[in-house]
Amino acid sequence: MKKIVLLVTLLFILTSCVNETNDYNNDHDKAYNVPATVLLTNAEKALSDQMTTPSINTNIFRFTSQYWTETQYITESRYRISTRKIADNHWTILYRNVISNLESAKSLVNSEVKSDGFTQTDWDKQQKNKIAILEILEVYSFQILVDTFGDIPYTDAVSPGVILPKYDDDTSIYPKLITRLNASIANLDSSGNSFATGEIIYNGNVQNWILFANSLKLKIGINLADVNNALAKSTIESAFAAGVITANSNNAKFAYLSISPNYNPIYDNLIASNRNDFVPASPIIDDMNTLNDPRRTVYFTTYNGNYVGGVYGYANTYENFSHVSDLIKKPEAPGILMEATEVNFILAEAAARGYSVGDTASSYYNQAIQSSFDFWGISSLASAYLANPDVAYNTAPGATYKEKIGRQAWIALFNRGFESWNTWRRLDFPNLQAPANAYPEAYGKVPVRYTYPINEQTVNGNNWNAASGAIGGDKLTTKIFWDVN
């Protein structure tokens, strides 16, 4: 089976050079003619691993959100991402391990022959549901790439035979993702089946995939709010009307196991590796201490009876600070791709912006916080927390909804580094500051994007140059198109 090359980067991973035959695009180490379900499982695991892992080789979003800091090796919390080729790894995982597998799975589904046990109607429903699920995961992955880098290969990324892909304008990609989601939602039919095996997130439950797709549409819509209000409004309102994830029972999660190699990447990096490289950072712990936030008990351990965060961006002695809680470090803790807390905060923001989403900003704000407490198993403590004048929506500090929602979303998304980083960039709260010792490439600011992979610069140079110029420079400080404030 033909392996779709998404980026020329893969040529250096799969071969030492480009040969003169027509098969250099094949992965000769891969078992060919595998079922679509195997490719889907691999794609879902790769996606969940990448969005969950705290590995400083692939994902430093817990540092850009200032949730974690480092002990001895402090390069990443000072915002140098080139040493470990972090951007290259993030890019390659999403394009090769996720999107490429999903594209290949779609081809296999389209070539499947109807089984005798199906009527044609039932078979058609099932196959359309399968393709829709694969499409939704691909849209999710492309959104991550846009939100990480800005302009990215999109049209050329899934075009067979394209070796040096051109980059699409990030502003143009978002509407295309909405169009794809609308088509996928229209094709999902909960009266039919989908994947009987291999689909880990929802075990093939089509109704849950409908909720997930609409929630993803909602998330894309809210990112557009400051740059295209009309499209944001129509996208959000239609997603809400069709049904989104507002209860933890419908969260999109990848189920990890308690044994190697399928345990949660946080456990892998913090326990199985037997390393003490990270501690929770003072910005998040200090703020939660100020609010007497009960979630400290499920986020952190104590040091001498107190919650104490490491100094962000500087070396910290591991034994002298709080640590990430055992609950978060459980080997079987699920990887979360979408959750009720996140969606309710988006709905609160949408309501504050004047969109029609069925309830008020304060109501969704309260629901978001309650769902966070529910998720962590401390439901009964939410009421007292919400009654705190510094937390209650109408009395909490902040001149705007962005500050009120931004602060509480930042706290609630503690274990969702990328989504927290997105929310912070859109709302501009809380007021995160780069450490004084940040590397020069950060220009004294918290990064608002990843720079492009080094391999793209060296191998796909013409297209990299064009994209870098189009976005205003390949810098950590160049904003994604929707990040205008």
Side-chain angles (χ1 to χ4, degrees), residues 97-171:
N97 299 2
V98 181
I99 295 172
S100 181
N101 274 331
L102 294 171
E103 280 291 305
S104 298
K106 283 193 285 187
S107 296
L108 287 172
V109 169
N110 284 327
S111 66
E112 289 174 347
V113 178
K114 184 176 75 68
S115 303
D116 291 338
F118 284 87
T119 67
Q120 189 64 51
T121 298
D122 288 342
W123 177 259
D124 291 342
K125 284 182 183 179
Q126 174 184 273
Q127 299 308 94
K128 288 175 73 174
N129 283 337
K130 287 181 178 180
I131 294 296
I133 289 169
L134 296 169
E135 272 282 281
I136 292 161
L137 285 168
E138 196 167 308
V139 168
Y140 186 99
S141 304
F142 272 121
Q143 190 226 333
I144 294 167
L145 285 161
V146 170
D147 291 351
T148 305
F149 296 101
D151 290 9
I152 58 165
Y154 177 73
T155 304
D156 283 356
V158 293
S159 298
V162 175
I163 303 303
L164 299 175
K166 295 180 181 178
Y167 290 51
D168 292 63
D169 175 25
D170 54 3
T171 307

Side-chain angles (χ1 to χ4, degrees), residues 149-427:
F149 296 101
D151 290 9
I152 58 165
Y154 177 73
T155 304
D156 283 356
V158 293
S159 298
V162 175
I163 303 303
L164 299 175
K166 295 180 181 178
Y167 290 51
D168 292 63
D169 175 25
D170 54 3
T171 307
S172 72
I173 297 173
Y174 253 50
K176 294 174 183 176
L177 297 181
I178 294 169
T179 298
R180 288 176 70 173
L181 279 177
N182 285 338
S184 296
I185 292 166
N187 284 334
L188 286 170
D189 187 338
S190 59
S191 71
N193 297 317
S194 69
F195 293 98
T197 61
E199 199 285 283
I200 308 300
I201 296 171
Y202 284 126
N203 294 314
N205 186 298
V206 176
Q207 185 56 47
N208 279 333
W209 276 102
I210 293 171
L211 292 175
F212 179 86
N214 280 302
S215 301
L216 176 56
K217 185 176 164 183
L218 187 83
K219 182 169 68 170
I220 290 173
I222 203 65
N223 279 347
L224 289 169
D226 288 331
V227 293
N228 189 338
N229 184 64
L231 181 57
K233 185 175 187 294
S234 63
T235 300
I236 288 168
E237 291 180 351
S238 62
F240 170 76
V244 294
I245 297 169
T246 55
N248 287 321
S249 58
N250 295 318
N251 289 351
K253 57 187 179 182
F254 186 90
Y256 288 106
L257 305 178
S258 59
I259 56 175
S260 176
N262 295 313
Y263 40 53
N264 187 294
I266 300 174
Y267 175 87
D268 186 21
N269 281 266
L270 271 62
I271 302 298
S273 66
N274 197 31
R275 295 180 65 88
N276 298 324
D277 292 337
F278 313 115
V279 293
S282 57
I284 183 70
I285 286 188
D286 289 351
D287 202 34
M288 293 180 75
N289 281 341
T290 299
L291 296 171
N292 196 27
D293 194 314
R295 285 169 292 185
R296 291 173 298 172
T297 63
V298 291
Y299 286 3
F300 318 115
T301 64
T302 58
Y303 172 68
N304 287 340
N306 299 306
Y307 298 100
V308 183
V311 181
Y312 185 79
Y314 292 83
N316 296 274
T317 302
Y318 182 79
E319 292 78 11
N320 293 346
F321 298 96
S322 295
H323 303 147
V324 175
S325 74
D326 291 341
L327 184 61
I328 290 175
K329 293 184 294 191
K330 285 174 58 176
E332 68 274 20
I336 304 297
L337 297 178
M338 185 79 71
E339 61 180 319
T341 298
E342 173 190 0
V343 172
N344 278 307
F345 274 124
I346 292 173
L347 290 172
E349 182 182 342
R353 290 178 180 272
Y355 303 156
S356 179
V357 289
D359 213 333
T360 63
S362 61
S363 178
Y364 283 124
Y365 172 91
N366 290 345
Q367 290 178 55
I369 294 171
Q370 180 68 61
S371 65
S372 174
F373 278 66
D374 294 345
F375 178 87
W376 294 107
I378 52 173
S379 301
S380 62
L381 303 179
S383 295
Y385 181 73
L386 285 165
N388 182 339
D390 289 332
V391 175
Y393 188 79
N394 291 331
T395 57
T400 69
Y401 69 86
K402 289 189 174 185
E403 185 169 356
K404 296 171 186 285
I405 295 172
R407 184 187 192 187
Q408 286 299 324
W410 178 63
I411 293 172
L413 295 173
F414 172 70
N415 205 32
R416 303 278 312 287
F418 181 82
E419 298 307 333
S420 173
W421 186 50
N422 253 17
T423 303
W424 171 75
R425 287 183 293 167
R426 187 178 65 252
L427 297 178

